[in-house]
Amino acid sequence: MTRLRWPSWMPIDPYIVLLLGTVGLAALLPARGTAADVASGASTAAIAFLFFLYGARLSTREALDGLRHWRLHVTVLVCTFVLFPVFGLAARALVPTLLTQPLYQGLLFLTLVPSTIQSSIAFTSIARGNVPAAICAGSFSSLAGILITPLLAAALLGNSGGGFSTDSLVKIVLQLLVPFLAGQLLRRWVGGFLTRHKKILGLVDRGSILLVVYTAFSEGMTQGIWHQVSVARLGGLLAVEAVLLALMLLLSWYGGKALGFGRADRIAIQFAGSKKSLASGLPMAGVLFGAHASLAVLPLMLFHQMQLMVCAVIAKRRARDPEEALDAPGTSAAHVVQGQPQHRVLR
């Protein structure tokens, strides 16, 4: 039997199609009553298991080795948790002319979410950048975001974000950080199993996110919040996000040059410092925004697809750089990985 493959010319990743289909399913058949309680409990368990897998997959030795490149990691963290939020706060001037208050809250939340892991690695590899740095930078950002994102949300969103409290922080730590640390502790016993069943567990990763999306949008449907969004407002949101992404791509690339980083490091900084994680953002939004989580994560879902499309183009262009560019000062041959990753990664 011939295996069906997603056409390479399609600009939309197939997983995004599944996400949109999940939103449509929630709109037509939202979980209500007992079904909603079951879906909520299942999504909480699925996300905890997802972060357990993240912890079990991350090599502790790689993470410790990556600390030697601390300037690069600090640069990525500044991009993720300082520059992004500054632009998010500046977008407040667009309310109510271009954005509604709920959409702005979702946009601001988007700027507080940690960076991606897998897609940063994939694009850095395609562009022949510093892949080990991308692995560590994405991992450090995700781990730091478990604490930094809710604290920033408390400071910048306050009660408008859905009632942030100490209880919210505790829930996030228990749902995300504790499973991650458990995965690290058990890595020596489960690491081999995870490696042998990588493809199957990849389906678990994606299925967990789809379940969280369904639960969040089902709750939004029961609350009737979709009447607050119009096509014009969505168009305005997309325009704002396009500008935001362009600014971060430019700042991370040329800022890396100004700080003296070589080409390979600048590639890692650009891809890790300009993107936001759907996998980390969705469960956090569920805790912080409650019934309004579906509208709050809409900007993040749109930005996620946009960053994948744009960064894919940039990575392929960087891969065509002349060979002499690879020998620029600050570029270590040991950090440059030739070739492309063998799978699509979407976090």
Side-chain angles (χ1 to χ4, degrees):
M1 181 181 294
T2 303
R3 184 180 177 183
L4 295 177
R5 294 182 179 274
W6 189 258
S8 59
W9 51 266
M10 288 291 287
I12 300 179
D13 194 287
Y15 189 60
I16 298 299
V17 176
L18 288 176
L19 284 171
L20 295 176
T22 302
V23 173
L25 178 63
L28 295 174
L29 298 171
R32 302 176 185 274
T34 303
D37 294 336
V38 171
S40 177
S43 65
T44 299
I47 288 298
F49 183 61
L50 181 63
F51 274 79
F52 171 82
L53 293 178
Y54 287 166
R57 288 169 180 165
L58 176 63
S59 169
T60 305
R61 177 174 296 180
E62 283 182 351
L64 293 176
D65 290 344
L67 289 174
R68 301 174 186 171
H69 215 355
W70 64 269
R71 288 183 64 247
L72 185 148
H73 303 317
V74 169
T75 301
V76 171
L77 290 175
V78 168
C79 289
T80 304
F81 296 117
V82 178
L83 295 182
F84 256 115
V86 166
F87 288 130
L89 291 172
R92 178 68 179 82
L94 302 176
V95 180
T97 54
L98 195 60
L99 300 174
T100 63
Q101 183 63 25
L103 285 179
Y104 168 69
Q105 290 175 3
L107 178 69
L108 182 56
F109 172 73
L110 148 70
T111 66
L112 311 180
V113 171
S115 179
T116 62
I117 301 177
Q118 288 97 329
S119 59
S120 296
I121 298 168
F123 291 133
T124 300
S125 176
I126 292 172
R128 297 181 293 177
N130 188 338
V131 174
I135 294 172
C136 293
S139 301
F140 293 157
S141 176
S142 293
L143 189 57
I146 294 175
L147 295 176
I148 295 177
T149 297
L151 292 176
L152 286 175
L156 302 182
L157 286 168
N159 292 332
S160 63
F164 176 87
S165 63
T166 303
D167 183 57
S168 299
L169 179 59
V170 171
K171 287 182 179 179
I172 289 174
V173 169
L174 290 177
Q175 189 177 356
L176 307 184
L177 182 58
V178 171
F180 181 91
L181 295 177
Q184 279 282 284
L185 291 174
L186 297 176
R187 173 179 167 75
R188 61 179 299 183
W189 293 285
V190 302
F193 176 84
L194 296 179
T195 301
R196 292 192 300 271
H197 299 84
K198 181 167 54 178
K199 292 184 178 180
I200 296 177
L201 292 173
L203 297 177
V204 174
D205 284 3
R206 299 182 179 191
S208 300
I209 300 303
L210 293 177
L211 181 58
V212 174
V213 169
Y214 175 75
T215 303
F217 279 86
S218 290
E219 193 163 4
M221 286 299 299
T222 59
Q223 296 292 328
I225 64 173
W226 287 108
H227 299 295
Q228 305 174 33
V229 185
S230 66
V231 175
R233 294 294 190 183
L234 286 177
L237 175 63
L238 284 171
V240 173
E241 292 190 337
V243 173
L244 175 63
L245 179 59
L247 286 172
M248 290 308 304
L249 286 168
L250 291 171
L251 284 174
S252 57
W253 180 252
Y254 290 105
K257 181 179 181 180
L259 292 173
F261 289 103
R263 175 192 179 277
D265 288 345
R266 290 170 66 196
I267 288 173
I269 291 171
Q270 184 177 52
F271 289 129
S274 64
K275 294 203 296 303
K276 292 294 184 176
S277 173
L278 191 65
S280 297
L282 283 174
M284 291 183 185
V287 174
L288 296 175
F289 290 89
H292 300 283
S294 55
L295 194 56
V297 300
L298 182 61
L300 178 59
M301 289 182 61
L302 295 176
F303 189 83
H304 184 264
Q305 170 59 24
M306 187 183 298
Q307 71 187 13
L308 289 177
M309 295 172 64
V310 173
C311 289
V313 173
I314 293 175
K316 290 177 181 178
R317 289 179 64 89
R318 298 258 185 264
R320 295 195 294 267
D321 286 349
E323 289 297 320
E324 54 267 22
L326 301 180
D327 299 324
T331 300
S332 171
H335 285 159
V336 178
V337 176
Q338 298 287 346
Q340 299 185 9
Q342 300 303 310
H343 59 281
R344 292 188 175 191
V345 199
L346 298 160
R347 302 287 184 271

